[in-house]
Amino acid sequence: MAPEKTILITGGAGFIGSHVVRLFVNKYPEYRIINVDKLTYAGNLENLRDIEDKPNYLFVKGDIVDQAFIHDILGRYAITGVIHLAAESHVDRSIASPMEFIHTNITGTVNLLNAARHHWKGTSGEKLFYHISTDEVYGSLGEQGYFTEQTAYDPRSPYSASKASSDHLVRAYFHTFGLPVVISNCSNNYGPYQFPEKLIPLFIHNIVNNKPLPVYGKGENVRDWLYVGDHAAAIDILFHHGEKGETYNIGGNNEWKNIDLIKKLCSVMDGKLGRKPGTSARLITSVKDRAGHDLRYAIDSSKIRKELGWKPSVDFDKGLEMTAGWYLSNKEWMEKVTSGDYLKYYEEQYVKR
Ligand code: NAD
Ligand code: TYD
């Protein structure tokens, strides 16, 4: 029997993508899930070991920038829905070397849009191109206010500028070509399987290894943190019930100054490692600020909450405990994903700072 839907998930071997793949493969045995991922430093099949043998799942290694490859995937598997997560995702890397962000985040997205347009033209049945984006496209807030879906785009890092560009292109394909699209813009995610270059897993890694915790500037910058499982749940809802052509903000209503979050994480880690209170906090080290460091992100997610009934289910205390516990029970994962160019990259960054 043909699957009810055949969904292409791009970037499914990355942090958020692996949670979305796992959710869809387990929850929808009647769908076929095709995961396309280039397996950059940030993508790892270790993230999907528990579902890799499921009959409704297929992994195909490949680059979304490769036109012929993407056209072949959409045609060969008769894709009816795309959930597009593949991206270069780390702001610091985009500052050090922007071009890969332009290729993957902009050109890669347009390749997917073109392929969907080509293969879906004149066909019947429901189709959807769902583009996953970030709140960083809206720029930087002062101490007051929230990003709504109406906030004008004002990206300030090469990463956020490349994501903003891809969002505009997705919207342009809706208006110009009638491609059925949905976009969501989410705040900072945390949880298991996040590559240890982002704040929370990097600091867990460094605490375990008694390495300095590099706080950019004074640690006054504010982020709104959401447990990754709650983001995956929102993606499930929007894939099935989002209105075509619409944008939805997703956020945790959970703002933290970096320095306060770091101190909280240090205390959770002291508890888990059986260290004397205050031990991990002694590793906190102030380093040169990130160039163009956005001061504050805060999301107004009332649209998805009111219209579609989504809300976060994991509170921050519980989420941070679970996350710290997961990394400590999965040291082998940490060793595997950090065994490539990771240390070399970080050493180079520290020298430059
Ligand atoms: P990630 O860096 O962990 O994963 C990205 C994945 O994309 C990796 O598996 C990588 O191998 C793959 N990839 C990169 N370039 C590719 C290419 N050219 N072709 C095919 N695959 C490629 O990122 P993440 O944190 O899981 O983010 C996923 C998406 O969600 C991104 O689009 C990001 O902009 C967005 N987002 C992330 C956050 C966050 O807090 N992490 C918040 C909001 C939105
Ligand atoms: P990050 O996890 O890189 O996410 P983003 O920049 O996309 O929000 O960083 C979260 C915050 O933590 C951000 O304000 C930068 C800061 N930060 C540090 O202070 N030190 C670090 O080593 C890292 C990686 C981030």
Side-chain angles (χ1 to χ4, degrees):
M1 212 173 66
E4 201 176 295
K5 290 177 193 285
T6 304
I7 304 172
L8 167 63
I9 299 184
T10 69
F15 166 47
I16 302 170
S18 63
H19 287 269
V20 176
V21 166
R22 180 174 297 100
L23 176 69
F24 274 68
V25 165
N26 287 330
K27 185 170 173 186
Y28 301 108
E30 69 278 23
Y31 296 176
R32 186 161 193 224
I33 306 301
I34 314 288
N35 172 14
V36 162
D37 197 296
K38 185 181 172 183
L39 301 182
T40 66
Y41 77 94
N44 207 305
L45 293 177
E46 293 299 323
N47 300 357
L48 292 163
R49 286 285 172 240
D50 54 322
I51 57 114
E52 66 187 4
D53 293 329
K54 296 268 176 158
N56 63 336
Y57 172 68
L58 180 72
F59 172 71
V60 186
K61 183 172 180 212
D63 188 340
I64 59 166
V65 178
D66 181 340
Q67 261 183 45
F69 168 72
I70 287 301
H71 272 271
D72 180 63
I73 291 284
L74 266 94
R76 181 189 299 256
Y77 298 108
I79 298 296
T80 55
V82 176
I83 305 180
H84 175 36
L85 294 115
E88 286 293 335
S89 68
H90 190 42
V91 174
D92 293 328
R93 284 184 189 250
S94 83
I95 295 168
S97 150
M99 198 49 98
E100 207 49 37
F101 289 70
I102 306 309
H103 291 316
T104 289
N105 299 1
I106 306 178
T107 309
T109 301
V110 177
N111 266 340
L112 284 159
L113 289 165
N114 282 340
R117 194 182 154 219
H118 173 83
H119 287 284
W120 294 349
K121 204 171 173 184
T123 62
S124 60
E126 218 196 330
K127 308 285 193 303
L128 180 66
F129 189 103
Y130 178 9
H131 176 64
I132 308 299
S133 193
T134 165
D135 62 354
E136 302 189 25
V137 297
Y138 296 121
S140 180
L141 289 166
E143 291 190 356
Q144 306 288 317
Y146 295 90
F147 299 134
T148 72
E149 287 82 358
Q150 279 72 47
T151 303
Y153 276 30
D154 184 22
R156 295 149 50 102
S157 74
Y159 164 65
S160 56
S162 69
K163 291 296 291 189
S165 175
S166 65
D167 293 10
H168 287 317
L169 284 156
V170 172
R171 240 172 246 126
Y173 273 62
F174 171 75
H175 289 293
T176 309
F177 304 117
L179 194 77
V181 310
V182 165
I183 299 176
S184 59
N185 298 82
C186 189
S187 63
N188 287 58
N189 286 213
Y190 70 99
Y193 299 109
Q194 187 169 31
F195 191 80
E197 64 182 353
K198 305 275 166 61
L199 181 72
I200 291 180
L202 174 68
F203 278 33
I204 292 174
H205 174 267
N206 287 9
I207 289 169
V208 170
N209 295 292
N210 275 309
K211 290 188 167 174
L213 306 177
V215 177
Y216 298 167
K218 292 191 179 130
E220 298 283 305
N221 305 67
V222 174
R223 299 291 182 263
D224 170 7
W225 293 92
L226 180 71
Y227 189 69
V228 63
D230 283 325
H231 187 190
I235 289 173
D236 180 13
I237 292 173
L238 288 174
F239 181 76
H240 291 97
H241 306 290
E243 199 172 316
K244 310 283 188 322
E246 287 293 308
T247 291
Y248 298 85
N249 282 352
I250 306 169
N253 233 342
N254 178 40
E255 287 181 50
W256 285 84
K257 260 189 193 164
N258 289 340
I259 192 67
D260 296 336
L261 186 160
I262 290 161
K263 286 181 182 158
K264 186 180 178 65
L265 179 63
C266 285
S267 121
V268 169
M269 291 299 289
D270 282 344
K272 296 226 171 265
L273 293 166
R275 292 179 181 170
K276 244 177 56 197
T279 308
S280 300
R282 280 202 283 276
L283 298 168
I284 294 174
T285 309
S286 177
V287 299
K288 193 171 160 226
D289 208 353
R290 173 186 279 172
H293 197 172
D294 288 341
L295 178 66
R296 175 171 166 257
Y297 303 143
I299 273 268
D300 175 345
S301 56
S302 50
K303 180 176 175 182
I304 185 175
R305 290 176 193 241
K306 283 191 192 136
E307 290 182 10
L308 296 169
W310 172 86
K311 61 176 183 348
S313 67
V314 177
D315 80 49
F316 197 48
D317 281 352
K318 189 171 147 221
L320 211 53
E321 279 279 342
M322 284 190 326
T323 302
W326 185 87
Y327 283 97
L328 290 175
S329 324
N330 288 276
K331 287 194 179 134
E332 234 177 75
W333 178 88
M334 188 67 98
E335 274 158 30
K336 275 188 184 146
V337 303
T338 55
S339 60
D341 74 342
Y342 167 83
L343 287 176
K344 186 168 156 275
Y345 167 76
Y346 267 95
E347 275 153 21
E348 281 167 7
Q349 294 308 302
Y350 285 135
V351 171
K352 274 192 211 142
R353 273 181 183 283

